[in-house]
Structures are given as C-alpha cells and as structure tokens.
Amino acid sequence: MAINVSDTFWEPIRRTTVRNTIGYLPQLDSRGVITSPPVVVSEMPFVTYIVRQGSGRRLADADHRDFVKALKELEWSGLCQVYVAQMEKMTLAEQMEIMARSTILVGVHGNGLTHQLFMPPSPRSTVVEIFAPKSYVHDYAILARNLGHKHYAVWNDTLQTFADGEWYEGVKYTSDFHGSSIPVHAPTIAELIRQRLSGPLQH
C-alpha cells in the first residue's frame, strides 16, 4: 500500500484547478474557518454530506433523515456550517466550490467521495466513509492518505481509522455492499465530527 510521493504532491494541482474553475481559492485556517478572500470568509468550518438517496447504494431512509437532523444540530450549536449536497444536481463549479470550502466530507462509499480531491488538507481535514456492515474497500482511504486527509471507515455505530503505515486487512464485499438500506448511527458520526473540529489538533 506504500506510495512514495511528497505529502503535498497534489496541492499545487488542487489549488490551480480550484482557482481556474471557480475564480478564487479559499484560504482556511487551522480550525477550518475560511479567512480569505473577504467575500467568502466564514465563522465556522464547513462539513459536507454527499447524499446518495437517489442512487442504488444509499442509507436507509430513516437513518439518512436522522443523520441530516444530527448535522443540523451541530450547525445550530455553532460548531460548523453544513452542506447537504446532491452533487448530480450541481454544476462542476458548484461542486468544486463546496469542496474547496470544506474541512470534513461524509458519504456512503461511492464516486462522490472523489470530491475530496478539492478539499484543502489540514490537521482537521477528514473523510468519513460509510460502508454496509462488514464491508470494506480501500479506494477512498488510499486517496485520503495521499491528499493529507484523515480517513474513517464507519459501520453503523463503529468507527475505524489507521495510523500511517497501517491498513485494514483485505477487501470485503458483503451481499448488501450495494444495498439501498445501509444503516448508520447518526450520533456516532456527529460525535466524531465534534471531536475532529473541536478536539486537540492531530492527524
């Protein structure tokens, strides 16, 4: 799994692509707060949840609703600003602008997590990938590591992340890997987001 490249090899490409596509480059501080340019400064970091409820592989509808509610409660508490994004209904520029402002990306395993390519790396930048229970593939964990984001796999109410040089063993495709009722325990991810945004800086 080792790929010997600079930790910042992608950053010049990300910066250039974002600037050329949306016309500016958001600058984030260590909290994930946008500090420039002045027209887009923020008071809170951004959390983006990529919704897959219109696709085959998706959360159970009730769990999706509970998760959106939990995210909004984090927003109301003043911890973060939340985007609930249906990327397929947005232009490329809109998609890229959201990600260039984001510090945490959450979604069910799928192509939407490729958008982490445009999320700025930082000690708090995080990709939260929701799997069907007992399933696992490495695609977006590898991408997250090489982009400087912390990756968490989620199986309902169970989280797992790995230190540098350590990996989940193997690949597991369960019968419900592409299921339309993948469970997730909203409070578990909400607490992870709270820790990543307000806890001690670490990667």
Side-chain angles (χ1 to χ4, degrees):
M1 288 292 184
I3 301 176
N4 294 319
V5 297
S6 165
D7 290 342
T8 59
F9 85 100
W10 177 252
E11 187 59 6
I13 302 171
R14 185 193 73 84
R15 287 171 170 266
T16 299
T17 304
V18 169
R19 186 183 291 111
N20 289 346
T21 303
I22 70 174
Y24 69 95
L25 182 67
Q27 300 292 324
L28 280 63
D29 65 15
S30 62
R31 300 169 297 159
V33 172
I34 301 171
T35 57
S36 69
V39 293
V40 295
V41 295
S42 64
E43 296 181 356
M44 299 178 288
F46 287 87
V47 174
T48 295
Y49 166 41
I50 295 182
V51 176
R52 291 182 56 93
Q53 295 311 103
S55 68
R57 189 189 312 116
R58 60 185 186 268
L59 293 181
D61 288 337
D63 287 4
H64 162 72
R65 291 191 295 269
D66 287 347
F67 184 49
V68 171
K69 180 180 178 182
L71 289 174
K72 291 300 183 181
E73 287 173 352
L74 292 177
E75 186 172 61
W76 296 331
S77 76
L79 179 71
C80 59
Q81 186 165 335
V82 172
Y83 288 126
V84 178
Q86 290 184 275
M87 294 300 195
E88 66 272 20
K89 295 183 178 181
M90 303 168 66
T91 66
L92 177 60
E94 289 170 338
Q95 295 173 39
M96 198 174 294
E97 185 170 29
I98 283 177
M99 291 315 307
R101 296 181 178 194
S102 296
T103 295
I104 294 181
L105 173 63
V106 185
V108 172
H109 169 80
N111 290 336
L113 295 180
T114 306
H115 286 85
Q116 65 178 289
L117 285 165
F118 307 109
M119 187 166 71
S122 75
R124 298 197 187 276
S125 62
T126 308
V127 176
V128 182
E129 184 174 6
I130 303 168
F131 289 101
K134 299 182 181 180
S135 297
Y136 192 86
V137 290
H138 293 272
D139 312 33
Y140 301 108
I142 293 173
L143 187 58
R145 288 195 182 207
N146 285 305
L147 296 175
H149 309 316
K150 186 70 171 173
H151 177 272
Y152 287 82
V154 179
W155 302 277
N156 194 11
D157 61 353
T158 302
L159 303 171
Q160 189 160 18
T161 189
F162 295 91
D164 289 345
E166 297 178 1
W167 294 90
Y168 185 93
E169 293 187 10
V171 172
K172 295 182 180 179
Y173 289 97
T174 58
S175 60
D176 57 349
F177 183 83
H178 296 291
S180 58
S181 295
I182 295 172
V184 73
H185 185 242
T188 298
I189 300 183
E191 180 57 27
L192 171 63
I193 292 171
R194 188 180 301 278
Q195 291 174 5
R196 290 296 293 166
L197 292 180
S198 61
L201 279 173
Q202 56 184 343
H203 209 285

